[in-house]
Amino acid sequence: MSDADRIRYEQPEPNIARVVLARPDKKNAQDKRLLYQLDDAFQRATTDDDVKVIILAADGTDFSSGHDLGRTAFMGEPFRPIHAQGGFTAPGAEGIYAVEQEVFVELCWRWRNIPKPTIAQVHGRVIAGGLMLVWPMDLVVASEDATFSDPTVAFGLNGLEYHDHLWQLGARKAKEILFTGRALTAEEARTVGMVNQVVSRDELESTTLALARTIAERPMFGLKLAKLSVNQGLEAQGQYTHIKSAYGLHCLGHTHFMAVGGSPIERNGKTKIRELSGANDTSATRYSD
């Protein structure tokens, strides 16, 4: 791996690919480079007919601390858009809307629709944007130390851009987590159906591999059809329409704070975000940048 690499691609067993977030010094904070390298890795696994199951894992102490909010992480760094739209360099709300729709909504939806079973292997903290990597996956295996949070209401927003809280948590639990910003434990997440299995940290990798191995014994076309059947049911319930609608409200929040304070977020929320994330230093959550 070079210094520019954010993702590692592995094949731990036949028919299984493992994509690893490999930015542990930044707690796997996401910038454009990481997200598009992740997309490249997912497409590599998707188009390899020998791969039947894809695992998403992470290096370091935390699965992902969310979005890297450094000045050039998203709005400044050039990128190769996946979806047919423009306006990425436009000033004001137009540019913010275009970039975040591409990077935070459409990429997640693309990964959600990978025509192969996907498993998130999760440990440590998953903060805000980190949920946007976990939620598109079909199954989630978490270690006992895993926690899941979206504290972004403290920024004056309605939650993260890929607003899938309702389907992941149910209406009342989604409101509780958004209103309070507190983290769900792995066991709480299992109870509400967001996580499939909770195991010790020592057993996390082996348990995830065992699950992938079992799935890989099934016919690939059957797996694809089963995934489509469930996903299309969610779409019939309005999942994607809801995500796009909530994303528009997210951008309204950005526009408001740009108008009143010259920043896309409520600046006073940074301290609260640190507290809710269990961190007092900027290395623990890039939302504090």
Side-chain angles (χ1 to χ4, degrees), residues 5 34 76 82 102 121 124 167 178 196 199 204 206 221 230 243-244 249 261 272 278-279:
D5 289 335
L34 183 146
I82 298 296
E102 159 79 15
Q121 176 184 306
W167 275 267
L178 286 166
N196 297 91
V199 298
L204 179 61
S206 62
F221 195 48
V230 176
I243 288 171
K244 290 188 292 184
L249 296 176
K272 179 57 71 175

Side-chain angles (χ1 to χ4, degrees), residues 21-274:
L21 308 177
R23 202 186 185 197
D25 58 316
K26 302 295 186 183
K27 309 291 185 182
N28 296 312
Q30 306 153 30
D31 57 6
K32 279 200 191 106
R33 189 174 301 172
L34 183 146
L35 294 176
Y36 282 93
Q37 287 183 6
L38 177 58
D39 185 71
D40 288 342
F42 279 148
Q43 294 312 305
R44 175 180 172 183
T46 299
T47 57
D48 183 345
D49 289 340
D50 290 330
V51 171
K52 298 177 73 174
V53 184
I54 305 168
I55 296 170
L56 176 62
D59 288 339
T61 58
D62 294 301
F63 182 84
S64 177
S65 60
H67 298 151
D68 187 333
L69 295 190
R71 292 183 181 277
T72 62
F74 290 104
M75 299 308 295
E77 187 171 322
F79 66 106
R80 173 179 53 84
I82 298 296
H83 298 88
Q85 60 179 350
F88 299 115
T89 61
E94 182 180 357
I96 293 174
Y97 183 92
V99 170
E100 292 199 347
Q101 181 181 32
E102 159 79 15
V103 177
F104 299 145
V105 178
E106 299 300 343
L107 280 181
C108 292
W109 191 251
R110 174 179 168 97
W111 302 333
R112 180 260 195 194
N113 290 315
I114 290 171
K116 296 181 177 183
T118 57
I119 308 172
Q121 176 184 306
V122 181
H123 69 278
R125 284 174 291 193
V126 182
I127 302 171
L131 294 170
M132 294 166 51
L133 306 184
V134 174
W135 285 350
M137 301 297 101
D138 298 311
L139 305 176
V140 181
V141 181
S143 61
E144 295 167 336
D145 67 335
T147 60
F148 305 86
S149 65
D150 180 6
T152 53
V153 171
F155 277 153
L157 305 173
N158 61 329
L160 52 83
E161 293 87 346
Y162 186 75
H163 207 283
D164 201 25
H165 308 67
L166 177 59
W167 275 267
Q168 297 292 332
L169 302 170
R172 284 195 167 82
K173 184 59 70 173
K175 290 175 183 177
E176 176 192 343
I177 295 308
L178 286 166
F179 293 169
T180 67
R182 76 169 183 86
L184 281 171
T185 67
E187 185 56 33
E188 282 183 288
R190 188 196 64 79
T191 299
V192 299
M194 196 187 93
V195 166
N196 297 91
Q197 298 183 46
V198 178
V199 298
S200 70
R201 182 71 170 266
D202 291 342
E203 297 174 320
L204 179 61
E205 181 176 331
S206 62
T207 300
T208 306
L209 267 177
L211 177 60
R213 194 181 304 124
T214 297
I215 294 170
E217 294 173 355
R218 275 59 182 169
M220 187 66 254
F221 195 48
L223 293 170
K224 179 178 182 178
L225 294 178
K227 178 168 181 172
L228 277 171
S229 297
V230 176
N231 279 3
Q232 287 172 352
L234 295 172
E235 291 166 38
Q237 295 173 6
Q239 184 185 28
Y240 188 44
T241 299
H242 162 78
I243 288 171
K244 290 188 292 184
S245 175
Y247 172 63
L249 296 176
H250 179 97
C251 289
L252 174 62
H254 280 324
T255 302
H256 169 74
F257 287 107
M258 285 294 293
V260 301
S263 169
I265 57 176
E266 165 58 66
R267 294 184 181 276
N268 293 333
K270 291 183 178 181
T271 300
K272 179 57 71 175
I273 293 276
R274 288 196 188 108

